[in-house]
């Protein structure tokens, strides 16, 4: 009988040790996966931003459609200004401007046309631009808008976003809920996003 109690007691101790171990390791494992997924999502949002900025260069506006954006990346070119030569410190100290340097031929500007796909997406498939990493082809939410500043200037803006619930799916639910609660208390978006349709923020990401 004594041995039975000893075995039961040992099992209880082992169980308690396991529970303590899990309580320590669970948030550590979550943080590791969170950092990995966040980095991948941020990288994708940066690519979306690059594509949107290039699109605006050609079309004077952003787009709220991934079909349109991806087609633009695949098929269109945009112009880049390439500058050759530099102004030395002594030239700048003498008051020489870039305009004067251009006249004298010290520096040269050349406008070149380059494929959007070749310049921004050399090692990335544009078709994947719409999809959130670590999901089963769930798409980012994306929309565009036009904001009017206090001076009456109309500014085009866009926003691409994904909630924590989507890109952290499958991880510890309570840890994810804690992130959402923290974002709610701080009045922030409960996820990752780039740009804003509520304010002109120069296409900043909320991780920056």
């Amino acid at each position: 009988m004594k041995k039975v109690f000893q075995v039961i007691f040992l099992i209880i101790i082992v169980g308690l040790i396991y529970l303590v171990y899990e309580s320590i390791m669970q948030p550590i494992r979550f943080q590791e996966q969170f950092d990995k997924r966040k980095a991948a999502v941020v990288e994708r949002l940066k690519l979306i931003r690059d594509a949107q900025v290039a699109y605006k260069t050609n079309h004077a506006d952003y787009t709220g459609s991934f079909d349109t954006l991806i087609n633009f990346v695949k098929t269109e070119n945009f112009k880049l200004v390439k500058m050759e030569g530099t102004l030395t410190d002594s030239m700048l100290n003498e008051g020489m401007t870039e305009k004067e340097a251009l006249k004298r031929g010290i520096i040269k500007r050349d406008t070149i046309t380059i494929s959007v796909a070749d310049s921004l997406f050399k090692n990335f498939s544009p078709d994947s631009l719409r999809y959130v990493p670590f999901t089963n082809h769930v798409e980012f939410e994306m929309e565009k808008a036009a904001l009017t500043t206090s001076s009456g200037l109309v500014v085009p803006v866009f926003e691409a976003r994904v909630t924590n619930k989507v890109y952290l799916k499958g991880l510890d639910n309570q840890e994810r809920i804690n992130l959402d609660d923290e974002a709610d208390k701080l009045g922030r978006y409960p996820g990752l996003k780039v740009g804003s349709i509520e304010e002109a923020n120069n296409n900043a990401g909320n991780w920056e």
Side-chain angles (χ1 to χ4, degrees):
M1 193 68 168
K2 185 178 180 181
K3 284 189 176 181
V4 173
F5 281 115
Q6 286 177 336
V7 171
I8 294 173
F9 186 64
L10 181 61
I11 292 173
I12 292 173
I13 291 175
V14 171
L16 289 173
I17 291 173
Y18 174 77
L19 290 175
V20 171
Y21 174 80
E22 278 299 299
S23 69
I24 295 172
M25 292 304 299
Q26 191 167 311
I28 293 175
R29 286 195 292 263
F30 175 84
Q31 189 65 44
E32 289 176 350
Q33 287 299 312
F34 169 72
D35 291 341
K36 181 179 180 181
R37 294 192 184 193
K38 178 181 177 181
V41 172
V42 165
E43 194 60 35
R44 190 67 52 87
L45 286 171
K46 287 180 178 179
L47 286 173
I48 292 172
R49 175 169 60 190
D50 290 344
Q52 285 278 22
V53 170
Y55 183 89
K56 183 174 178 288
T57 299
N58 279 20
H59 300 279
D61 196 3
Y62 297 113
T63 176
S65 165
F66 272 113
D67 288 337
T68 300
L69 190 62
I70 291 170
N71 183 65
F72 161 75
V73 171
K74 287 181 174 181
T75 63
E76 291 195 35
N77 303 319
F78 69 107
K79 294 180 180 179
L80 290 176
V81 177
K82 183 180 179 182
M83 188 167 73
E84 296 180 356
T86 57
L87 283 169
T88 64
D89 289 339
S90 60
M91 292 176 183
L92 291 171
N93 290 334
E94 291 172 3
M96 181 178 290
T97 63
E98 187 176 292
K99 186 177 180 180
E100 182 65 23
L102 283 167
K103 286 183 179 178
R104 295 190 185 186
I106 297 172
I107 60 176
K108 295 180 180 179
R109 280 180 178 170
D110 185 24
T111 301
I112 60 174
T113 300
I114 187 169
S115 161
V116 177
D118 289 341
S119 62
L120 300 178
F121 298 89
K122 287 183 179 179
N123 301 309
F124 181 81
S125 169
D127 289 318
S128 298
L129 197 62
R130 69 174 78 228
Y131 299 124
V132 180
F134 295 97
T135 68
N136 187 21
H137 286 82
V138 176
E139 295 189 14
F140 287 97
E141 295 179 75
M142 188 172 73
E143 54 188 315
K144 70 162 189 169
L147 302 179
T148 303
T149 65
S150 57
S151 60
L153 181 67
V154 178
V155 179
V157 293
F158 86 95
E159 181 177 304
R161 60 186 179 269
V162 59
T163 63
N164 294 326
K165 186 176 182 179
V166 169
Y167 83 94
L168 297 178
K169 185 177 181 180
L171 301 186
D172 182 79
N173 195 50
Q174 186 56 53
E175 293 291 340
R176 195 269 304 165
I177 291 173
N178 293 342
L179 286 176
D180 288 350
D181 288 343
E182 182 180 358
D184 184 59
K185 289 177 183 177
L186 296 173
R188 296 176 179 173
Y189 177 70
L192 294 169
K193 71 172 185 173
V194 65
S196 173
I197 56 171
E198 297 178 351
E199 60 178 342
N201 69 350
N202 199 30
N203 302 328
N206 67 344
W207 63 89
E208 295 175 314

